[in-house]
Amino acid sequence: MEKLGLNEIRELFLSFYQSKDHYRRQSFPLIPQNDKSLLIINSGMAPLKPYFAGIETPPSKRMTTCQKCIRTGDIENVGYTSRHGTFFEMLGSFSFGDYFKKESLTWGWEFITQVLKMPTDKLWATVYENDDDAYAIWRDVIGMPEDRIVRLGKDDNFWEIGTGPCGPCSEIYFDRGEKYGCDNPDCKPGCDCDRYVEFWNHVFTQFSRDDEGNYSDLAHPNIDTGMGIERLACIMQGVESIFDVDTIKYILDAVVAKSGVEYKDGAAETDISIRIITDHLRSMTFMIGDSILPGNEGREYVLRRLIRRAARHGRILGIEGPFLAELSEKVIETSGDAYPELKQRRDMIKKVIAVEEEKFASTIDQGMKIINSYMDELKADGSKTLDGEKAFKLHDTYGFPIDLTREILEESGYEIDLNGFEKAMEEQKKRSQAEQEMDDAGWDEVNAELSVEGDTSFTGYETLTDTGVIKAIVGAEGNVESAKAGETCRVILDQTPFYAESGGQAADAGVIKTADGEAEIIDVTKTNNVFIHKVNVTSGTLKAGDKADCQVLIPRRNRTAANHTATHLLHKALQETLGEHVKQAGSSVTADGLRFDFNHFQAMTAEEIAAVEARVNEQISLFIDVTTEVKSIEEASKEGATALFGEKYGDEVRVVSIGDYSKELCGGTHVKNSGQIGAFHILSESGVASGVRRIEAVTGQGVLGKYVEDEALIADTAHALKAKKDTLIDRSASLMEEVKTLKKEIEEMKKAEISKGSGSLLEEAKDINGIKLIAKEFADYSINDLRGLSDQIKADNKGVAMVFAAVSGGKVTFLVSLTDDLVQQGLHAGKMIKEVAAAAGGGGGGKADMAQAGAKDPSKVPAAFAKAEELIQG
C-alpha cells in the first residue's frame, strides 16, 4: 500500500469518480444556502439535501465532492484526544435516482483496491442485517469472503432521521492488526476495540418512513457515500492520529516552532494546547474564507469561540503577543490549491484573525484575574460551582465565551451553574426587548380590533394617486362607522398607493379625500397583507364604505426611493472595497437619509470610506436603468440575486436590478434610473455591535442640505477666529501653536510653584513617631502634578509620608506616596489609600510606594487626612 499525502488522496478520489461520469463539484461554502435547519455545513450530503428531496434539479444525476465541514458538538474533546477535530473534509459520491447498490459498492472497491492499492486481506464490510442485496454484491460480485462480511442491526447499519427518505447502509473497515484488538476470539467490525476502523459509508436511500413507522419504497432510490479524508489519510500514511497526517502535521510543527515547546505525542498538557491550536487554526481559516466573521450569535459565535480558545492556549504555551494570523498562512499553504478561496481571501483571513485576537488580548488578562478571584472565593467557601450570574458577567462584560470560562474552571476542578447563566442571559434579552414588546403589544390591541375580509391591493409601485374604498375604521374604542375632524384613527382601504413601513423603508405620507372629509396620512403599517393607515382627520367626516382619493406626497416618496436605491449601490460598493464577506445586517431608509448596517470586523479607514463613496457616485453618474421583475425564488437565486439572511421570502420574489452592477431581492420603492439619486455622501461610519458596522449617508437634496450646513459652519468659524475662509486653516494652525506654547508656559509655572512649595510643605509636616506626614489639599492641580511633587520630595528626603488630595469639579482624587525607607519599615501606600479614600466615600489601590484613589465627597477630605494620621500612628 503506497503512502499517499492528503492532497493526493483528494485528487485521486475526485478524478476517479469523474472518470465514472460524475459531475465534479467544488466544495459548497460552510454557510448553508437556503437551509435554516443548519447553523453550518457538517457533512458531505448536507448541501445536497435539495437534490435528494427533489426540491431542486442537480446539475447531473451523478456527483462527487470533497466537502469542507465543521462540527463543534464535542469541542471539549478536541486536543484532549488525538481523534477529535472541529474541521474535516468529507469525500463523497452521489447518485440522484441514477445508479444504485451494485455500482456504488463495486466502484468503491475498485477505488480502494486498484487506485489506493489497499491490501484486500485487510478490508472488511458490514451490511444491514436484512439487506441481502448488498450482502450478495459483496460476496458474489466483488468476491469478498463471507467471513469478512458482517451483518449488523439497525443502530449500526440503517440511516434515518425521523420521517422521510431513509435506508440501509454498508460500511467498509480496515483491519489495523491483532495488536489493536481484544481478547474476543470472534473480534470483527462491530466490536468496541480499536482493531477495525470504519472509513467509508455507503448509504442506500431506498425507503420513505411515515409518522407511524411504516416504510414504503422510493420511486427513485439514491446513493450517498461519505469518507472522511483525514481518517483515510491516517490509514494510507500508517499513522495513529489525525495530527500526524502530513498536511495537519505541517501546521502542528509551525505551532511547535512558534511556541518553542516540544511536542511529545502524548497526554502532556502542552500537547493538548498544541493540538487545540492546530485544529482551531484550520477551522478559523476556512470559516473566514467563507465570509464568516466573529460575533456573539450562531456560526459567528462558533468562530469567535474557536479563535479565543486557540489564543488562550497560545498563552498557556508561553507564546507572547498575537500569533494566530501568522500561523493561518500554514493552513493556506497546505489547502489553498484545493480551495482557491483561501488564497483569494488570504489578506482578509489574516486581518480578521488579527483583529479578533487583539480584541481578546485586551480583555483576557482582566478576565483571567476575575476568574482566578472567583476560584479563590470558591476555594475559601468550600464550593465547586460558580454562580451563573458571575459567569454571565464574564461573558457579557469581558467577552469570555461561556464555554471558555467552563473549560478554565474545569481544568481546576470547578463547574458553572449553567441554569443560572441561562437565566441571566434570558433576563438580559427580556430587558432589551421590553420596549419593542410594548410597541408590539400596542399594535396587537389595534390589530385585534380589525375584522376585514380580503387583502389590501398595493398599487404604489405603478402610481402615486389612486382611488380606494374604506373597508374599516378603527378608533380608540375599536371599530367605528366614522371619524370626524380632529380625531386620529386607523383606516383600511381595499387598495392603496401608500407604501407600508417594511424592509427598513419608512412609510409614505400624503392625504386621502372623500366626498365628505379629508385626512392626513401619518403612518402606514401592514399586518399580513392588510394595510393599516394611521390618519389625522383634518376636515369633515370619513365614513366606512366611502370612496377615497389617495395622493402620495411625491417629494417624500422620491427622496425615500433615492435613498433606498442608494443602499443597494452602497451594499455592492462595500463588497467591492472591503470583501465579499460584507452582508447587510439591517437598514433604515427615510426621506431624510439612510442608515446601513453591515457585517465587517473593524472600523473602515478614511481611504476605504472615500473609495466606497466614490464608487457609489460613479454608478449614479452612469445613469443606469433600475428595473424590477417578479420571479420564482429559485430563478432569482440562480441568477445570483442577493437575499438577506434571516428574511422570509415567498415562492415569488421581487428582484431589483441596477443594470449589471447590483441585483437584490427587495419589496421597496426605487428610482427608475440611478441618475435620479443625484449624489451620495457618507456622513459617518461607526460600530453598533460586535462585527457589525453602520454607515449613515444622504443623497440628492440631503447632500445639498449638508453642503449648506457645512458652509454656514465654516462661515461662523471664520467669524469667530477673525479670519477669511481661505485663511481659516492657517489661522487655526497658528492659534493651536499659540495654545500649545501657553500650555507649556503654564506647566513650567506650575512646576516652579510646586518646586518652590516643596520646602514649605516639609516645614508644615506633622511629626508622628519620627515620620513626617504631609497632608495637603490642592485645587486645580492634576494628579500628575501631585505625582511630580511627591517624586521631588522623595528624591531628597527620607521618612516622609504624603497624602495629597486634588479637588476639581466636585470630585477628589487622593494620592498616597511613601519614601522607600518607610516601605521597608512595613508601610504600604496601596493598603493605606483604601482606608483613606473610604473616609470620603471612595476606593482604589496601588503599589507599596505610591497609590491613588477617587472619591465623591470633597467635604470629607479632612476626615480622610485624619484617617491617614491614624494609620501612621499605628
Side-chain angles (χ1 to χ4, degrees):
M1 183 170 65
E2 186 181 354
K3 186 176 181 179
L4 298 172
L6 185 143
N7 289 327
E8 293 177 87
I9 295 170
R10 184 194 303 108
E11 181 56 37
L12 287 171
F13 180 89
L14 295 174
S15 296
F16 174 80
Y17 276 97
Q18 208 172 2
S19 73
K20 302 297 183 185
D21 298 323
H22 284 59
Y23 169 66
R24 177 171 173 168
R25 173 59 161 91
Q26 184 71 20
S27 173
F28 289 84
L30 286 166
I31 300 176
Q33 307 297 305
N34 302 318
D35 184 357
K36 295 181 181 178
S37 67
L38 276 181
L39 191 67
I40 198 163
I41 294 299
N42 59 6
S43 69
M45 68 83 62
L48 306 177
K49 286 195 291 185
Y51 300 151
F52 283 114
I55 298 172
E56 295 181 17
T57 302
S60 169
K61 287 191 173 183
R62 300 179 181 185
M63 186 180 290
T64 184
T65 64
C66 184
Q67 177 62 45
K68 46 194 172 184
C69 305
I70 296 282
R71 288 183 189 168
T72 58
D74 54 3
I75 189 173
E76 289 78 11
N77 293 320
V78 173
Y80 291 88
T81 75
S82 60
R83 302 187 309 276
H84 291 92
T86 56
F87 176 82
F88 62 97
E89 300 174 59
M90 185 64 74
L91 298 167
S93 55
F94 310 97
S95 168
F96 308 109
D98 187 24
Y99 63 81
F100 202 42
K101 295 181 184 180
K102 181 179 177 181
E103 293 84 354
S104 183
L105 293 177
T106 55
W107 287 339
W109 184 255
E110 180 183 348
F111 176 70
I112 60 178
T113 59
Q114 296 183 32
V115 178
L116 298 184
K117 295 182 172 47
M118 283 187 177
T120 57
D121 62 341
K122 294 286 187 181
L123 298 172
W124 288 64
T126 64
V127 298
Y128 177 50
E129 57 190 355
N130 296 331
D131 192 354
D132 295 332
D133 292 339
Y135 190 94
I137 293 168
W138 279 114
R139 182 190 62 195
D140 303 332
V141 179
I142 294 174
M144 175 83 76
E146 286 193 77
D147 60 358
R148 293 215 302 275
I149 308 171
V150 181
R151 292 181 185 266
L152 294 176
K154 204 168 186 178
D155 289 343
D156 295 296
N157 277 70
F158 196 93
W159 181 88
E160 65 180 346
I161 302 177
T163 59
C166 57
C169 60
S170 179
E171 297 178 324
I172 306 175
Y173 286 75
F174 184 82
D175 181 0
R176 301 172 69 202
E178 292 183 2
K179 66 178 181 177
Y180 295 98
C182 57
D183 296 331
N184 184 355
D186 194 32
C187 180
K188 57 188 175 184
C191 180
D192 291 333
C193 71
D194 295 330
R195 176 171 178 174
Y196 299 95
V197 178
E198 179 270 316
F199 65 92
W200 201 352
N201 189 16
H202 292 242
V203 178
F204 313 126
T205 311
Q206 64 187 97
F207 303 119
S208 181
R209 184 179 186 271
D210 63 22
D211 292 331
E212 296 179 0
N214 300 312
Y215 297 90
S216 58
D217 293 334
L218 289 176
H220 302 288
N222 303 310
I223 290 292
D224 161 25
T225 84
M227 176 161 53
I229 195 171
E230 291 85 359
R231 185 177 294 184
L232 178 59
C234 284
I235 295 172
M236 298 304 299
Q237 296 176 23
V239 296
E240 303 259 339
S241 160
I242 62 172
F243 295 96
D244 295 318
V245 170
D246 61 332
T247 54
I248 304 175
K249 189 174 186 300
Y250 181 75
I251 302 165
L252 183 143
D253 288 343
V255 176
V256 170
K258 185 67 178 176
S259 67
V261 175
E262 182 184 357
Y263 183 67
K264 301 175 182 178
D265 196 20
E269 291 296 319
T270 52
D271 286 1
I272 293 170
S273 293
I274 290 168
R275 286 193 291 264
I276 287 172
I277 296 169
T278 301
D279 169 79
H280 291 5
L281 273 167
R282 299 178 76 212
S283 292
M284 70 179 74
T285 302
F286 274 91
M287 291 174 78
I288 299 167
D290 277 349
S291 298
I292 299 172
L293 299 178
N296 292 329
E297 294 183 355
R299 64 181 72 88
E300 290 81 12
Y301 174 74
V302 171
L303 174 58
R304 168 160 288 167
R305 179 184 175 192
L306 292 171
I307 294 175
R308 295 192 168 190
R309 190 169 189 250
R312 174 180 169 259
H313 280 276
R315 289 191 169 222
I316 291 174
L317 293 177
I319 300 176
E320 295 183 1
F323 68 98
L324 295 173
E326 173 191 339
L327 294 184
S328 68
E329 183 66 41
K330 301 300 179 182
V331 182
I332 298 171
E333 287 176 22
T334 59
S335 301
D337 289 338
Y339 301 97
E341 64 273 15
L342 297 182
K343 289 183 175 180
Q344 294 165 6
R345 299 169 186 168
R346 170 187 271 112
D347 292 343
M348 187 194 80
I349 290 168
K350 296 171 79 169
K351 186 67 174 175
V352 171
I353 294 173
V355 169
E356 183 64 20
E357 197 174 3
E358 184 180 346
K359 286 180 182 177
F360 189 47
S362 65
T363 62
I364 188 170
D365 290 333
Q366 190 173 10
M368 285 301 301
K369 286 179 182 177
I370 293 171
I371 291 176
N372 288 332
S373 70
Y374 287 164
M375 288 193 288
D376 288 343
E377 290 174 7
L378 291 172
K379 185 177 181 181
D381 295 341
S383 173
K384 289 290 184 181
T385 304
L386 179 67
D387 181 74
E389 288 192 5
K390 291 182 176 179
F392 174 74
K393 180 182 178 182
L394 280 163
H395 166 82
D396 189 53
T397 307
Y398 299 100
F400 262 65
I402 182 64
D403 311 277
L404 183 56
T405 301
R406 181 170 61 183
E407 181 178 315
I408 294 168
L409 288 168
E410 286 177 350
E411 288 171 359
S412 299
Y414 299 102
E415 61 182 9
I416 296 172
D417 173 17
L418 290 176
N419 289 333
F421 173 81
E422 293 296 338
K423 183 180 178 182
M425 283 280 286
E426 190 61 33
E427 287 175 355
Q428 186 206 47
K429 288 179 182 178
K430 287 179 180 178
R431 286 193 298 270
S432 64
Q433 293 173 355
E435 185 175 341
Q436 181 62 44
E437 287 174 354
M438 288 175 65
D439 291 343
D440 292 342
W443 273 108
D444 289 342
E445 291 178 12
V446 172
N447 296 338
E449 299 294 333
L450 298 178
S451 56
V452 294
E453 294 182 3
D455 298 339
T456 303
S457 175
F458 176 62
T459 60
Y461 291 135
E462 298 80 26
T463 182
L464 299 183
T465 60
D466 204 352
T467 300
V469 175
I470 298 178
K471 297 172 69 176
I473 301 174
V474 182
E477 303 299 326
N479 278 38
V480 295
E481 288 299 314
S482 63
K484 60 187 178 183
E487 293 182 345
T488 298
C489 63
R490 289 174 171 82
V491 172
I492 293 89
L493 302 171
D494 65 338
Q495 66 180 26
T496 180
F498 295 104
Y499 183 84
E501 180 181 355
S502 62
Q505 179 176 328
D508 281 330
V511 295
I512 58 172
K513 295 180 181 180
T514 67
D516 300 318
E518 185 173 331
E520 174 191 11
I521 301 290
I522 301 172
D523 193 15
V524 188
T525 58
K526 62 180 178 180
T527 300
N528 297 323
N529 290 316
V530 175
F531 282 57
I532 306 164
H533 306 73
K534 183 178 180 182
V535 306
N536 276 338
V537 183
T538 54
S539 64
T541 302
L542 302 184
K543 297 189 295 294
D546 281 355
K547 283 187 177 181
D549 293 327
C550 306
Q551 175 64 61
V552 175
L553 187 59
I554 295 174
R556 172 171 165 146
R557 163 69 81 88
N558 288 342
R559 291 199 298 271
T560 303
N563 284 325
H564 201 154
T565 306
T567 64
H568 287 218
L569 293 175
L570 173 60
H571 193 181
K572 183 65 176 179
L574 285 167
Q575 290 177 330
E576 290 177 331
T577 305
L578 303 179
E580 295 178 13
H581 65 281
V582 170
K583 296 289 185 294
Q584 181 175 336
S587 69
S588 174
V589 179
T590 69
D592 298 324
L594 65 93
R595 188 189 74 219
F596 188 83
D597 296 345
F598 59 99
N599 299 113
H600 190 50
F601 49 86
Q602 64 179 146
M604 292 174 66
T605 64
E607 292 76 16
E608 288 170 338
I609 293 171
V612 167
E613 184 174 282
R615 186 64 170 145
V616 173
N617 279 307
E618 178 185 8
Q619 299 306 307
I620 292 171
S621 66
L622 289 173
F623 283 73
I624 306 169
D625 285 336
V626 180
T627 59
T628 58
E629 297 176 274
V630 177
K631 298 184 177 184
S632 69
I633 184 70
E634 291 81 7
E635 186 179 0
S637 298
K638 287 179 181 177
E639 291 179 358
T642 299
L644 301 186
F645 183 76
E647 282 289 317
K648 295 180 180 179
Y649 297 101
D651 294 333
E652 288 194 333
V653 292
R654 190 164 176 266
V655 182
V656 177
S657 302
I658 308 173
D660 296 327
Y661 186 69
S662 168
K663 188 187 292 286
E664 293 193 21
L665 306 187
C666 181
T669 63
H670 292 270
V671 297
K672 301 295 183 184
N673 185 285
S674 65
Q676 292 174 302
I677 298 172
F680 174 81
H681 177 58
I682 294 175
L683 300 176
S684 66
E685 190 273 351
S686 60
V688 292
S690 179
V692 179
R693 308 296 301 176
R694 171 173 292 172
I695 279 178
E696 295 188 49
V698 288
T699 65
Q701 287 189 350
V703 176
L704 178 60
K706 179 62 177 171
Y707 168 77
V708 172
E709 180 184 321
D710 288 348
E711 281 292 299
L713 179 62
I714 292 170
D716 290 345
T717 304
H719 178 73
L721 296 180
K722 296 181 173 57
K724 294 180 180 180
K725 284 173 58 176
D726 55 356
T727 63
L728 191 56
I729 294 176
D730 290 339
R731 177 62 175 155
S732 298
S734 175
L735 284 173
M736 288 301 295
E737 190 62 34
E738 189 176 332
V739 169
K740 185 177 177 182
T741 301
L742 289 172
K743 277 187 174 181
K744 187 176 180 181
E745 290 177 1
I746 291 169
E747 289 300 320
E748 288 175 352
M749 289 172 64
K750 275 188 177 182
K751 287 179 181 178
E753 186 179 347
I754 288 172
S755 179
K756 184 179 179 182
S758 62
S760 61
L761 286 175
L762 283 166
E763 291 175 5
E764 296 173 6
K766 272 190 179 182
D767 192 303
I768 304 173
N769 299 330
I771 297 173
K772 293 180 179 178
L773 172 63
I774 303 173
K776 180 74 174 177
E777 179 179 333
F778 296 84
D780 299 323
Y781 276 76
S782 72
I783 195 68
N784 287 331
D785 292 335
L786 299 186
R787 280 176 176 271
L789 175 59
S790 76
D791 288 341
Q792 190 177 36
I793 293 174
K794 286 162 69 173
D796 300 320
N797 297 276
K798 290 185 178 181
V800 180
M802 290 156 278
V803 182
F804 296 152
V807 179
S808 178
K811 293 184 179 180
V812 58
T813 304
F814 288 102
L815 178 77
V816 173
S817 184
L818 306 173
T819 53
D820 291 342
D821 60 312
L822 295 184
V823 174
Q824 291 171 2
Q825 291 176 30
L827 289 180
H828 194 289
K831 293 178 181 177
M832 283 180 64
I833 203 161
K834 287 183 180 179
E835 297 190 50
V836 169
K847 297 180 180 179
D849 64 330
M850 185 179 291
Q852 73 179 58
K856 299 176 182 179
D857 192 349
S859 68
K860 297 290 181 65
V861 168
F865 288 162
K867 173 57 71 172
E869 187 172 336
E870 179 185 322
L871 293 171
I872 295 293
Q873 288 174 340

